[in-house]
Amino acid sequence: MLACRELTLAVPGRVLCSDVALTFEPGQVWAVLGRNGTGKSTLIHALAGLKPPRSGRVDVDGLPLHKLNARERARKMGVLPQLEEGTFWGNVTEYVLLGRFPHAGRWSSFDEEDVRKARAALDALGVSGFAAQSYATLSGGERQRVRIAQIIAQEPGIFLLDEPLQHLDLAHQAHVIELVRSRARTHREIAIMVLHEPLWIGSACTHAIIFGGDGTLQAGPAEALLTREKLELAYGCSLREVEHGARRCFVPDV
């Protein structure tokens, strides 16, 4: 379980949200929504322990996040930042194997089980054909799928994904969304995703968080929050409803 209590997030000169209390439970898929700059990435960073909140606390399985060391956090939480810092010059398999680092012994290298799980993650994202290719030579969409494969290989119980669908075409967006949704259901994982693609928000997510941009935040079950009125207010544009399976979805009315 992941929870935050009395969480206040801020950037210089502006409070993004105040005194937020949220509990994320196994099997749930959360969409984090809002206009650019309203606090979505800041929330992901706070939940991951990458950037401290102005006030409040984050707990993982009942323990304060700040009391867990980096390896312990990585065993519980997998983080996909929006931006990737630095350059990796090894091949794709070596890149995905880095996700196994929290599980490796302190002085040991990766074993056959680590390699097997890295290959399974590559298969799950449909990028096993790039296994021996240099990571630096991949396209943006290919690299994004490999980045997600690394987190799958990491085997955390909590996935914190900041714009996981960026650079992906529609087919690969659908594949990633279904993979995240099915894993949450079958493995009892928690997924929290910053999303902008309205087609997937209503069809894939059980819960939602909407940043208002004025220091307010709404959170709760998706069917209660993902209404046209609430989304139009959040994004400042007109929307229309479309059918996507058995769920309601909204797209810009242009």
Side-chain angles (χ1 to χ4, degrees), residues 116-128 145 148-149 152-153 172 175-176 178-180 182-183:
R116 184 189 69 79
K117 290 183 175 181
R119 289 173 176 168
L122 289 170
D123 287 340
L125 271 298
V127 288
S128 56
R145 290 153 63 200
I148 296 170
I152 296 293
H172 289 126
H175 180 76
V176 167
E178 178 55 31
L179 179 63
V180 172
S182 64
R183 287 187 63 92

Side-chain angles (χ1 to χ4, degrees), residues 169-229:
D169 59 39
L170 281 175
H172 289 126
Q173 287 183 22
H175 180 76
V176 167
I177 283 291
E178 178 55 31
L179 179 63
V180 172
R181 181 172 62 175
S182 64
R183 287 187 63 92
R185 184 174 59 249
T186 60
H187 296 279
R188 303 297 294 164
E189 295 168 343
I190 298 168
I192 304 170
M193 302 184 288
V194 174
L195 294 175
H196 290 295
E197 298 76 4
L199 182 62
W200 309 121
I201 294 169
S203 62
C205 300
T206 63
H207 292 73
I209 297 168
I210 302 178
F211 280 88
D214 57 356
T216 63
L217 179 150
Q218 301 179 75
E223 59 266 24
L225 284 185
L226 300 182
T227 67
R228 185 171 67 183
E229 293 76 17

Side-chain angles (χ1 to χ4, degrees), residues 87-92 133-139 143:
T87 303
F88 183 80
W89 294 106
N91 66 34
V92 166
Q133 185 172 332
S134 169
Y135 176 77
T137 66
L138 299 179
S139 71
R143 189 174 295 192

Side-chain angles (χ1 to χ4, degrees), residues 226-240:
L226 300 182
T227 67
R228 185 171 67 183
E229 293 76 17
K230 290 182 183 297
L231 292 175
E232 285 182 339
L233 184 61
Y235 285 106
C237 67
S238 297
L239 302 173
R240 60 184 173 87

Side-chain angles (χ1 to χ4, degrees), residues 71 75 99-111 114:
R71 184 181 291 264
R75 287 175 179 167
R100 298 300 304 163
F101 179 77
H103 306 282
R106 185 175 298 274
W107 306 113
S108 63
S109 58
F110 301 118
D111 59 20
D114 293 321

Side-chain angles (χ1 to χ4, degrees), residues 17-62:
C17 61
S18 301
D19 297 324
V20 173
L22 292 170
T23 299
F24 308 93
E25 298 184 356
Q28 294 179 345
V29 179
W30 288 72
V32 183
L33 314 173
R35 302 186 206 187
N36 293 339
T38 53
K40 303 180 300 297
S41 295
T42 304
L43 175 64
I44 294 293
H45 293 168
L47 294 176
L50 299 178
K51 182 179 180 181
R54 171 173 286 186
S55 61
R57 60 182 282 179
V58 176
D59 293 341
V60 182
D61 293 336

